[in-house]
Amino acid sequence: MRDTATLIFVALVAIAAGYAFWFGGTALLADSAIQTASLTLRVVPVLTCGLLIGAFAGVLMPRELLLRWVGEDSGFRGIVLASIGGALMPGGPFTSFPLVHALHRAGAGTGAMVAFLVAWAAVGVNRLFVWEFPFMGVEFGLLRLVSSLPLPLAAGIAANALIRRFPHLGVPPEDKR
Amino acid sequence: MNGVLIFMAGLALGLGALVAVRQPQALRPALRDAARQGRTVGLRIPLGIFVAVVVSEVLPSGAIGPSIGPESGLRGILIATAFGAILPGGPIVTFPIAFTVWEMGAGPAQVVAFLVSWSIFAVHRILSFELPFMGPRFVFVRLLSAWYLPPVAGLIALALLSLPLGL
């Protein structure tokens, strides 16, 4: 999996380099390399701090408490708490999907889990530190954060309404492998 | 940029100290975890940035402005949403592209819609994580509950930008 991803990256870079050479010769190729180096140097220190923040926040996250709060019939309160948990959840898909899967199997409501995943993906406080601040700056990062705050609530409410209206959409126990 | 770095370094130190005091046995695994992630990401970041830089050099800079510039309004937000939805790949590809598009004159509300759309539809993540972990029915319910959110975020950003906050 990791090797495939690296190969795809190397292939993309080869295509980009070939295209740059064909388009603007060695001058454009060298210019692109210099721009890449300067942007990389700008991003890496902030990114390092972001990775540390994510790792430490992962240790401090109270997982058991979260499980108690987002049970099957937790309704809107569960959606709110799941949104907060998802927004603060650090780490990539490697850490959050196993957690969501475990929560769902342990009886968390579908609306709450939809809210958790949308909050993790779209609000993603951790991503703010690792990616948005280094690449886009603080101002833009905060604009993006505030604009996406209501989204997990809307998604969680919509998911619960959908399941109430069309009960066969609800995930049956045998699907919760 | 230096302000960001100072803030982030302070937060990292503060959280690290909190971990060291509360759960000292977890400090070393956490550092190892960050280092492992850093190795994976660190190798690919320059590659992702290089691709984005070449794209920005080759694309005519006038192409971005009219379609998703600050004046493009709701139409730009919808175009940005469509782009974000079809973009395959993780943050290592997405953020250099977002940065490049931003430098080329995309509007902030449009970039918000692009990033939110990418984070909600993320094709690669649905295929490699959400389907195997949560099953097709859950993915269906989630997409049905969330597909309209990127333009909503874009419109909220547009509204925030029109407030006199100095953004």
Side-chain angles (χ1 to χ4, degrees):
Chain A
M1 183 65 211
R2 179 180 290 182
D3 287 329
T4 324
T6 311
L7 277 179
I8 291 171
F9 263 100
V10 172
L12 274 176
V13 168
I15 293 168
Y19 201 70
F21 184 73
W22 178 69
F23 202 80
T26 29
L28 181 58
L29 204 58
D31 184 48
S32 302
I34 290 166
Q35 278 192 59
T36 301
S38 97
L39 187 55
T40 305
L41 285 179
R42 231 175 73 189
V43 165
V44 161
V46 186
L47 190 86
T48 307
C49 295
L51 288 173
L52 285 172
I53 291 169
F56 293 144
V59 173
L60 298 167
M61 178 108 179
R63 278 156 217 264
E64 288 75 19
L65 211 59
L66 192 68
L67 187 55
R68 232 183 302 152
W69 282 344
V70 293
E72 190 90 68
D73 302 310
S74 51
F76 183 66
R77 205 179 62 111
I79 290 176
V80 172
L81 293 169
S83 300
I84 296 171
L88 297 177
M89 176 78 197
F94 293 96
T95 46
S96 44
F97 277 98
L99 176 67
V100 172
H101 180 238
L103 287 173
H104 204 206
R105 226 177 30 183
T110 302
M113 289 305 92
V114 165
F116 185 97
L117 279 177
V118 169
W120 167 73
V123 181
V125 175
N126 180 58
R127 207 186 61 207
L128 197 67
F129 288 113
V130 179
W131 296 104
E132 258 148 356
F133 284 174
F135 274 97
M136 316 290 289
V138 174
E139 250 173 49
F140 176 84
L142 292 178
L143 174 71
R144 209 273 307 148
L145 179 74
V146 175
S147 306
S148 47
L149 284 181
L151 306 185
L153 302 179
I157 292 168
N160 274 351
L162 275 173
I163 286 172
R164 220 174 302 124
R165 192 82 182 276
F166 309 99
H168 60 280
L169 277 180
V171 179
E174 69 266 24
D175 240 29
K176 294 185 179 181
R177 280 152 298 172
Chain B
M1 207 59 203
N2 272 334
V4 186
L5 186 54
I6 292 166
F7 167 73
M8 300 268 291
L11 191 58
L13 279 177
L15 286 175
L18 209 58
V19 171
V21 170
R22 283 224 210 132
Q23 287 152 275
Q25 78 287 352
L27 190 61
R28 198 181 279 270
L31 286 174
R32 211 178 302 138
D33 188 44
R36 190 173 45 79
Q37 258 188 302
R39 267 199 301 278
T40 319
V41 169
L43 277 173
R44 291 185 204 159
I45 278 185
L47 305 181
I49 291 177
F50 180 76
V51 174
V53 164
V54 170
V55 169
S56 75
E57 293 284 338
V58 170
L59 272 184
S61 59
I64 295 285
S67 48
I68 56 168
E71 306 301 322
S72 62
L74 179 61
R75 204 175 57 94
I77 287 175
L78 293 176
I79 294 172
T81 298
F83 271 119
I86 57 166
L87 189 76
I92 306 170
V93 182
T94 306
F95 278 94
I97 289 177
F99 174 78
T100 308
V101 170
W102 167 261
E103 292 265 285
M104 290 168 75
Q110 286 73 19
V111 180
V112 165
F114 166 80
L115 285 175
V116 169
S117 175
W118 162 74
S119 60
I120 282 182
F121 293 107
V123 189
H124 64 289
R125 208 178 54 214
I126 292 177
L127 292 179
S128 47
F129 289 97
E130 196 172 11
L131 269 176
F133 268 108
M134 308 301 291
R137 219 178 283 220
F138 181 89
V139 176
F140 183 66
V141 170
R142 187 187 65 84
L143 287 177
L144 218 53
S145 317
W147 62 270
Y148 56 92
L149 294 173
V152 170
L155 288 174
I156 295 174
L158 214 54
L160 286 172
L161 287 164
S162 69
L163 295 176
L165 294 173
L167 278 171

